[in-house]
Amino acid sequence: GIQVEQSPPDLILQEGANSTLRCNFSDSVNNLQWFHQNPWGQLINLFYIPSGTKQNGRLSATTVATERYSLLYISSSQTTDSGVYFCAVLKFPGNQFYFGTGTSLTVIP
Amino acid sequence: DAGVIQSPRHEVTEMGQEVTLRCKPISGHDYLFWYRQTMMRGLELLIYFNNNVPIDDSGMPEDRFSAKMPNASFSTLKIQPSEPRDSAVYFCASSPRGSAYSNQPQHFGDGTRLSIL
């Protein structure tokens, strides 16, 4: 399977700060998603981004497929951003997503 | 639109009992996935279906686990007999059909938190 490594494993931010989360993967992939698991355990889609850059409000993501990494940017962090951020990748012809171990983010007021 | 719906949200049962988890995917989605999340192993794919047909069940831990998808709007994951090490959060996800060289994002249900005593 594909190895997915996320860094940092843990992150504590003051409210209002910016951060960058990284996802490295060991093989070329056809799909990549970023998820946020909130403190209630729900897994929320953030981005579907096999390549390029996307933005959604204070969050943006960039995937450089040729170099096998993706970055998730969080600007002006809020306490509601707390939780675990997962990166998941998929390579055809299989349909299995491989998840990273996540980055646990705590935003303190 | 309603998202992926899982039931029950929480299940507590004694070792040896049969457990059935249920999932209703998003209407029109062709793929359905069952995942398990534990602290030790993170998120693991157990099995996935395409058009109600199981495609890859290599993640199913052992014969005590079985999954079915009798129609496009319903799937079950059954554990019989259950053991304490099966305690975990079980997620169901669905995604629409993509093209041959693309895929569509997966959407997750809220999960079932299973505790086997």
Side-chain angles (χ1 to χ4, degrees):
Chain A
I2 300 175
Q3 306 303 311
V4 182
E5 294 181 354
Q6 292 186 243
S7 60
D10 300 281
L11 187 58
I12 300 175
L13 294 177
Q14 199 78 40
E15 198 169 24
N18 303 328
S19 62
T20 300
L21 281 56
R22 187 176 181 102
C23 171
N24 292 333
F25 38 96
S26 62
D27 198 355
S28 59
V29 298
N30 300 101
N31 287 309
L32 187 146
Q33 278 185 258
W34 282 98
F35 295 92
H36 174 218
Q37 188 164 35
N38 63 26
W40 295 270
Q42 297 171 311
L43 276 163
I44 310 298
N45 266 321
L46 295 177
F47 292 102
Y48 166 66
I49 185 165
S51 63
T53 298
K54 291 186 177 180
Q55 180 149 11
N56 184 4
R58 296 179 297 102
L59 273 59
S60 65
T62 295
T63 297
V64 184
T66 54
E67 297 187 21
R68 302 181 185 173
Y69 73 90
S70 183
L71 302 173
L72 178 68
Y73 305 96
I74 304 174
S75 64
S76 304
S77 58
Q78 301 176 357
T79 55
T80 52
D81 295 331
S82 296
V84 182
Y85 290 80
F86 289 101
C87 165
V89 301
L90 178 150
K91 183 179 178 69
F92 288 142
N95 215 335
Q96 178 173 356
F97 263 112
Y98 295 91
F99 279 81
T101 53
T103 291
S104 178
L105 173 65
T106 303
V107 181
I108 54 177
Chain B
D1 288 339
V4 176
I5 299 172
Q6 291 187 245
S7 64
R9 289 297 312 277
H10 304 273
E11 175 89 10
V12 180
T13 191
E14 292 187 347
M15 180 176 64
Q17 298 296 309
E18 178 178 291
V19 173
T20 300
L21 311 181
R22 298 172 175 79
C23 176
K24 177 179 169 55
I26 294 173
S27 177
H29 282 193
D30 292 327
Y31 290 92
L32 183 139
F33 307 82
W34 282 101
Y35 291 88
R36 178 173 67 177
Q37 185 178 32
T38 60
M39 288 295 292
M40 291 296 294
R41 301 173 68 91
L43 271 157
E44 304 173 278
L45 177 69
L46 300 177
I47 185 172
Y48 79 90
F49 295 82
N50 181 17
N51 291 325
N52 313 338
V53 176
I55 301 301
D56 184 351
D57 65 354
S58 59
M60 296 286 262
E62 48 196 276
D63 292 345
R64 297 185 296 105
F65 286 69
S66 62
K68 294 183 179 180
M69 192 164 185
N71 57 62
S73 59
F74 183 66
S75 176
T76 59
L77 178 67
K78 191 171 291 189
I79 308 172
Q80 167 64 16
S82 58
E83 297 183 2
R85 59 193 169 117
D86 302 331
S87 298
V89 180
Y90 290 81
F91 286 100
C92 176
S94 69
S95 69
R97 176 167 49 91
S99 69
Y101 299 100
S102 176
N103 206 325
Q104 298 295 327
Q106 295 190 12
H107 299 266
F108 281 74
D110 288 346
T112 294
R113 187 173 297 275
L114 177 64
S115 298
I116 309 296
L117 306 177

